[in-house]
Each structure stands twice: as structure tokens, then as C-alpha cells.
Amino acid sequence: MSTASSPPAAGADLRSGQLRNLIVATIASTVGFWAWTIIGPLSSRYAADMDLGAGQTSVLVAMPILVGSVARIPVGALTDRYGGRVMFTVILGVTAPLVLLTGIVGQQGNFPFLVVIAFFLGIAGTVFAIGIPFCSAWYERSRKGFATGVFGAGMVGTAVSAFFTPRLVAAVGYMGTHITIAVVVAAMAVLSWLILRESPAWSKPTEPVLPKITHAFTLRVTWQLCFLYGVVFGAFVAFSNYLPTYLGNVYDYDATAAGTRTAGFAVAAVIARPIGGTIADKVGPKLVTLASFAGTAVLAVIVALRPEEEEVYGTAFILMALFLGLGTGGVFAWVGRAAPAKDVGTVGGIIAAAGGLGGYFPPLVMGATYDPANRSYFVGLMLLAAFAAVALLLTFTVRNGGRVDTRSGT
């Protein structure tokens, strides 16, 4: 971080590279999220080709989310140690061949092997744990919410996946789609190495990774924000992956139509995320987070009642996406201000993992509680409303949620 002896120079150094690094990191995150979520938009194809039930489809969709969540903890700690430039390059470089392997195995129709490959494909989702400390280090304390909010907009990759993946399959074929995406991921890995640079405020720590992770788990704020982020980001990830299946089962949409609507959901959340982070910089993340959970709880109840008109359920899903996006920006605006500066990557990785895990279980619950006779996901959606209500109450207990005094430095 900047020192008292030379704050003007440090500030000038930060400003010179802020925008470039933030934009490139956000694009890298978008590409990573696209690769991370390519199975969801094609779930109906896999279900038809392999004769999968709702439970099996849910497991397949959820597999990348699992490893993409748990692996964020070590990846966040490794980012603290080696920097974002190295980690973006490595993670995207490993993801590209996994995308190709997903296409090969999926084309063969081998469900057990595809589940295994989907598990490892989840490594693409760890890009989030890289970008949070990387981008946060480039910005002053009073603008960290803005930085992490803009970077968080990289989750638009889920919308890119939902919208373009089925259309690419229609245009260039199933295998051609996976080749195209793999090339994009590989190209982004190269660009990350060539363009990204570490913040002048970042310094390589000397302590081992494991003690850093252990220490982060001893911080109360880590556990509090884990739960909040697990609910708000988990709901976003779950719907971004499972909504095509949901819309197909409940409202008879085909893959392309369901993907288009899922993309709209994801875009709405993505637009709201930097807004949530920016508002959190002004009024504090607590108010933003409270509004997010209140809106999510109410809208989950509305959707659970299975309205028949698209004007009603479509609007409800878009509004829910907006509230979830505000919440993801609000909760992560807390990380840069509440966690010790040297632990931001590690704590952020743990919290990001909690968010991913929050997205792992809902598709499984939705599949297990689906009522095919009534084409209803009532139980799963009411559980979301209940968890949002609990998270709302917990928000009142988290400290450092007010406005930041911009005179206190970075």
C-alpha cells in the first residue's frame, strides 16, 4: 500500500495504470466465466442425447461450480503471493484445453466421464479470486468498491455463455463451438501475460500460503461475509446456470429461447454489480446489502407462485437479477475495507469460494425438489427467500459497513 513518505508519487503511479489493468482483468474474467458456464446452456442437449433425468442434469450443471468455488481459496492465496498477471495467465492457459476436452467427451455421450471433466472445468471460475485482490490493489481505499464492482461485471461471461453458446452450436456445430471458445480462452491467457501489470501498491509476501489461509479463517469478518456472499452470489450463479433448465421445465422454452432469457438475467445482474459497488463507496455497503436481500426475498416468493404471464415472471426475474447484482457489489465492497491489506486476496478467495459454493447446492436442491406433476420449483424458491431473510438479519451484525472517510488515506 502507499506509504506516508510519498503518497503523491504512489497515487500518480496508481492512476497511470488503473484503467488499463481494470479493463483487461474484467475481460479476462468475462472469458473465464464463459468457459466456466458452457455446460449450463447445453444442458437440454446433454439431457436429450444421454437420456438424463432432472437430478442427473442438475449434477452435471453443478459440477463446474463446485471446483470453481473451492479452488478459489488457494487461488486467492496464490494471487497474494505471485500476483494477478501470473495467475490469470496460468488459470486461463489451463482452462483452454479443458474446454476442448469437454467438447470431445460430450460428443461421445459418456455421462460419467463428462461429469469428471465438468468438475475440472470449474477451475475457470477461480478467475474471480484473482481479479479481486489484483484490481483492489490498483485503487485507493475510497474507490475499492468501484474497482471490485467493475471487475465483478466480468460475470457477464455467464450471459455471453447463455446467449452465444447455443447460437454458436447452431452456426458452427457442437465441436466447432468448443474449439472457438478454447481459442478465445487461450488468446486471453496470452494477452493477460503481455498487458497486465501489478499495482505499485502490491508487494510479494514472504510467508507461506497455508498459514495465510489459516489466519484468514480466524477473522470473524471472513465468516460473516462468506454467508452473505454465499447467498447473494450463489443465487446469481445458480440461476445463471440452472435457469435454462428451469424455463424449459416450467414454461416449455427451447434451448435458444431459454438461453436468451438467461442472458438477460445475467446482464441485469452484471449492470447492477458496479452500481452496487459504487453506491457502497458513497453510503456504505450495509445499506446496499440490506436492500439486496429484502428485494431478493420478496421476488423469490413471487416467482415461487409460478405466474403464467411472461410479463410477470420475466419482470420478477429481471428485478431479482438487479437486486442480486447490487448485493454482490455491496458485499464485496466490504472485503477491501474490512480485511487486512495483506490478506485481501486470501480473504477474498475464501469469500468468493463461499459464493461459488452458494451456487453449487441450489441446482441440486432445485432438481431434487422439482414437482414434475405441477411443473413447480416452489420448495427451492421458498428456501431462497428464507436464506435471503436470514442474510438480511445477519447484515446488521457486520462491522465497517458505513461510509469511508476519504481523508483516512488508501
Side-chain angles (χ1 to χ4, degrees), residues 90-104:
V90 170
I91 293 300
L92 292 174
V94 171
T95 297
L98 287 170
V99 170
L100 279 177
L101 196 55
T102 301
I104 293 170

Side-chain angles (χ1 to χ4, degrees), residues 300-321:
V301 173
I302 293 174
V303 174
L305 298 177
R306 203 166 55 88
E308 296 182 0
E309 300 79 11
E310 183 173 10
E311 292 80 2
V312 178
Y313 65 78
T315 301
F317 271 121
I318 292 298
L319 288 175
M320 184 188 294

Side-chain angles (χ1 to χ4, degrees), residues 134-404:
F134 176 81
C135 295
S136 181
W138 271 106
Y139 281 79
E140 305 82 358
R141 178 177 171 84
S142 61
R143 299 187 67 204
K144 289 185 184 296
F146 165 79
T148 56
V150 171
F151 171 75
M155 64 188 189
V156 74
T158 61
V160 172
S161 181
F163 186 84
F164 286 106
T165 303
R167 286 171 169 79
L168 276 174
V169 171
V172 300
Y174 174 83
M175 200 60 218
T177 296
H178 286 77
I179 293 173
T180 300
I181 298 172
V183 169
V184 171
V185 174
M188 195 65 233
V190 174
L191 290 176
S192 295
W193 178 255
L194 294 177
I195 300 176
L196 292 179
R197 294 294 181 269
E198 301 300 333
S199 165
W202 177 79
S203 60
K204 184 176 181 178
T206 57
E207 62 267 36
V209 170
L210 186 57
K212 285 178 64 68
I213 295 175
T214 303
H215 171 68
F217 275 112
T218 67
L219 301 175
R220 181 184 179 189
V221 70
T222 301
W223 293 98
Q224 291 173 318
L225 295 183
C226 273
F227 184 82
L228 298 184
Y229 201 67
V231 174
V232 70
F233 187 73
F236 165 76
V237 171
F239 276 117
S240 296
N241 283 273
Y242 198 73
L243 198 54
T245 302
Y246 178 97
L247 293 173
N249 287 341
V250 177
Y251 296 111
D252 282 331
Y253 287 107
D254 61 26
T256 300
T260 301
R261 286 158 177 80
T262 302
F265 176 92
V267 167
V270 166
I271 291 173
R273 178 160 189 152
I275 295 174
T278 303
I279 295 175
D281 283 338
K282 303 297 184 182
V283 304
K286 181 173 290 186
L287 290 177
V288 177
T289 305
L290 287 171
S292 168
F293 286 126
T296 298
V298 171
L299 290 162
V301 173
I302 293 174
V303 174
L305 298 177
R306 203 166 55 88
E308 296 182 0
E309 300 79 11
E310 183 173 10
E311 292 80 2
V312 178
Y313 65 78
T315 301
F317 271 121
I318 292 298
L319 288 175
M320 184 188 294
L322 290 173
F323 277 111
L324 291 174
L326 289 173
T328 56
V331 172
F332 243 99
W334 244 320
V335 179
R337 63 166 69 190
K342 64 184 180 64
D343 296 319
V344 169
T346 307
V347 173
I350 294 171
I351 295 170
L357 286 174
Y360 171 72
F361 292 105
L364 300 180
V365 173
M366 296 285 273
T369 61
Y370 175 58
D371 179 2
N374 295 308
R375 307 176 74 177
S376 172
Y377 287 96
F378 180 83
V379 174
L381 288 164
M382 291 305 294
L383 284 173
L384 170 60
F387 272 96
V390 172
L392 186 148
L393 295 176
L394 178 62
T395 300
F396 286 103
T397 71
V398 186
R399 301 178 61 184
N400 301 319
R403 298 180 63 182
V404 169

Side-chain angles (χ1 to χ4, degrees), residues 14 16-27 88 134-135 138-139 151 195-199:
L14 287 176
S16 67
Q18 284 176 340
L19 186 60
R20 181 186 73 252
N21 284 281
L22 180 59
I23 290 175
V24 175
T26 302
I27 296 173
F88 269 124
F134 176 81
C135 295
W138 271 106
Y139 281 79
F151 171 75
I195 300 176
L196 292 179
R197 294 294 181 269
E198 301 300 333
S199 165

